[in-house]
Amino acid sequence: MDDARGRDPGLFTPASVTWQLHGDPMMWIAGIRALYLQALHPRAVRGVLQNSDFRRDAWGRLLRTADFVGVTTYGTTEDAERAGERVRKIHSMLTATDPDTGERYGVGEPELLLWVHCAEVGSYLAVVHRSGFPLTGAQADRYLAEHRVGARLVGLDPAEVPADRAALDAYFEKVRPELAAGPEAREVDDFLRRPPIHPLLVPARALLWRHVAGLAYASLPTWAHTLYGRPAPPPATVTRHLRTTGTLLRAIPGPLRRQAPPRHLLHAVARLGPGARPDPARQGRRPRQVPEDRP
């Protein structure tokens, strides 16, 4: 690695909210919540299911998403731009068909990319924040503004992407009439509730995965529960469970936690030095109230 590349902090840099928040272990639960939310857009979820064997490769899809988030957050600028170029190329080649009208459309349509982006960053922010990550309102808005960079990488016009919580809330309110828990969303829901695994691992699925997927589902906004047709505990109860889970996961030593794939943060620390390690204390004081039911 040449000297300039070795010093490159990437698109976000250790000074960003994104750098701190994406190092939190609750991001895995947030990623599952994002899948639940993304599946409620019929055109978007068809693009996924018609171009992949979701049931056979759902774990691979989750890991590829984690890899993209990791490299764009903690990789060099060159690495992030290259990852974005790959995603844009893939999107440009894929299409889906509306089974009701026969319409064929590209999965890279801006409105679909915007939905996937907003459901994703909204989920990351909601879950990590509600689980006790210290974040002020201004920092939450800054996080969303920073992700106009990520939106550009997948082919969106940054000017069209919500840059604060008010704009994100307005976007979800606007798009809600287009959402539904159709057959494809039910397929995603069924997989997330009962993922196929080796028979010997069924007890572990009952003990561990049920809690993880259940908590991800419970953290969805009320209108998403209504669409899926299953109730969730009161928002305050969900927040309490998120905080308990976050506390337990954060008690695992950082060096051990960060060994989990895709390890981009470890590479960033090796590249930039110990000062690049995420430190939530840098985010300021924990706000007295954490939003309990945000998209």
Side-chain angles (χ1 to χ4, degrees), residues 35-165:
L35 288 177
Y36 270 119
L37 197 56
Q38 289 166 346
L40 290 174
H41 195 300
R43 288 169 65 88
V45 71
R46 285 182 196 126
V48 173
L49 297 186
Q50 292 182 17
N51 287 285
S52 66
D53 188 343
F54 179 83
R55 292 195 68 85
R56 289 181 179 273
D57 192 41
W59 301 121
R61 179 175 176 80
L62 188 60
L63 288 174
R64 285 192 294 275
T65 299
D67 182 71
F68 181 78
V69 172
V71 73
T72 54
T73 303
Y74 300 115
T76 64
T77 302
E78 180 183 350
D79 291 337
E81 295 288 354
R82 189 182 299 121
E85 184 179 1
R86 285 196 298 270
V87 168
R88 295 193 302 273
K89 183 176 181 180
I90 292 171
H91 286 167
S92 70
M93 297 186 295
L94 300 180
T95 61
T97 302
D98 186 322
D100 297 322
T101 66
E103 176 198 3
R104 197 158 188 82
Y105 57 91
V107 302
E109 288 184 355
E111 68 176 83
L112 303 184
L113 296 178
L114 183 60
W115 167 253
V116 171
H117 170 84
C118 290
E120 190 170 289
V121 297
S123 291
Y124 296 161
L125 182 61
V127 168
V128 178
H129 190 187
R130 288 176 68 184
S131 70
F133 187 90
L135 203 66
T136 66
Q139 289 161 344
D141 287 342
R142 180 179 161 195
Y143 172 79
L144 295 173
E146 289 171 356
H147 277 275
R148 284 183 161 185
V149 172
R152 175 184 62 77
L153 289 177
V154 300
L156 284 165
D157 178 356
E160 301 298 322
V161 176
D164 57 35
R165 290 167 299 158

Side-chain angles (χ1 to χ4, degrees), residues 210-279:
R210 183 177 298 174
H211 173 76
V212 170
L215 188 55
Y217 175 81
S219 68
L220 289 167
T222 302
W223 53 260
H225 297 149
T226 301
L227 290 175
Y228 275 114
R230 295 200 312 280
T237 301
V238 177
T239 296
R240 186 167 63 251
H241 291 168
L242 286 168
R243 283 184 176 274
T244 299
T245 303
T247 298
L248 290 173
L249 291 178
R250 293 176 192 119
I252 301 172
L256 180 60
R257 282 193 281 108
R258 291 165 192 151
Q259 289 297 329
R263 299 188 177 88
H264 293 296
L265 176 54
L266 289 178
H267 300 157
V269 172
R271 185 174 82 246
L272 301 172
R277 291 192 187 99
D279 180 4

